[in-house]
Amino acid sequence: MPKEICPSCRRTKASLHCGLCHEWLCKDCAQFLEAATFSFLREIPEHLSHFTYCGLCYDKKVAPEIEAYSEVMNRARQVQLFYKNEREVALIYRSKKMLSIQNCPDRKEILLRLAFFAAQQSYNGLVHIELNSEKIKIDGYQKTNWSGTGFPATVKVEGQKF
């Protein structure tokens, strides 16, 4: 059985494949992508769904996507949240398309997911947020499933000019 050679370090202990170019890699030269890296995306693109990448493919295809994802996540943490019963909102524009998320295990996570989808669409606010929880009992244990809806919106921020 011939041994595969790693193109990066030229050692003969290559045992992994790059998910994109299918080059043989050794464990030391491979770049690994955790499954939770893009967990907030509704659909993970094909080129980001692999576990192992060579350095070149990682730098060209994966690293820019991680950077863009992190930028949207940072904006999502800045999104202003307004619940359904709040009346005083300095609203500039509200989307007609409502965001909806089902079966989320945590209240904070569902708010962050809604904010992430709003930030993905370049909004800075989320209005008319409505959250619902459902308690589920399984053999003496209890867990809560959260669902929520909201409309992405552009909200006037103090000091911001339009």
Side-chain angles (χ1 to χ4, degrees), residues 12-158:
T12 59
K13 61 179 191 172
S15 61
L16 302 170
H17 275 103
C18 172
L20 294 177
C21 67
H22 304 291
E23 284 279 342
W24 284 97
L25 302 164
C26 66
K27 189 175 182 181
D28 295 334
C29 296
Q31 298 282 332
F32 298 101
L33 189 65
E34 294 181 24
T37 303
F38 297 103
S39 65
F40 277 47
L41 293 178
R42 287 191 191 267
E43 286 186 32
I44 297 175
E46 172 64 29
H47 66 281
L48 299 175
S49 62
H50 305 290
F51 178 67
T52 310
Y53 296 90
C54 67
L56 184 63
C57 290
Y58 187 87
D59 291 341
K60 277 184 158 180
K61 305 276 180 160
V62 181
E65 297 281 345
I66 290 174
E67 189 175 319
Y69 179 84
S70 296
E71 192 268 325
V72 172
M73 186 59 78
N74 289 336
R75 283 196 339 243
R77 289 187 176 100
Q78 305 290 316
V79 166
Q80 296 182 30
L81 305 174
F82 299 95
Y83 293 90
K84 192 170 187 170
N85 57 358
E86 293 184 46
R87 301 287 181 224
E88 299 289 324
V89 179
L91 191 62
I92 303 296
Y93 175 77
R94 186 189 92 173
S95 172
K96 291 181 178 14
K97 186 176 179 187
M98 180 173 59
L99 299 175
S100 178
I101 297 177
Q102 306 295 322
N103 298 327
C104 200
D106 185 44
R107 183 179 188 277
K108 288 181 181 179
E109 183 180 334
I110 198 162
L111 287 171
L112 186 57
R113 284 187 184 275
L114 285 169
F116 180 83
F117 294 139
Q120 241 182 349
Q121 298 173 21
S122 300
Y123 290 101
N124 70 345
L126 200 58
V127 297
H128 300 291
I129 299 171
E130 192 169 3
L131 300 176
N132 297 311
S133 64
E134 175 188 7
K135 292 183 181 181
I136 300 171
K137 293 185 180 184
I138 304 170
D139 297 331
Y141 293 99
Q142 180 175 311
K143 74 175 196 172
T144 305
N145 270 345
W146 287 87
S147 61
T149 59
F151 290 93
T154 302
V155 179
K156 184 175 182 182
V157 179
E158 190 174 315

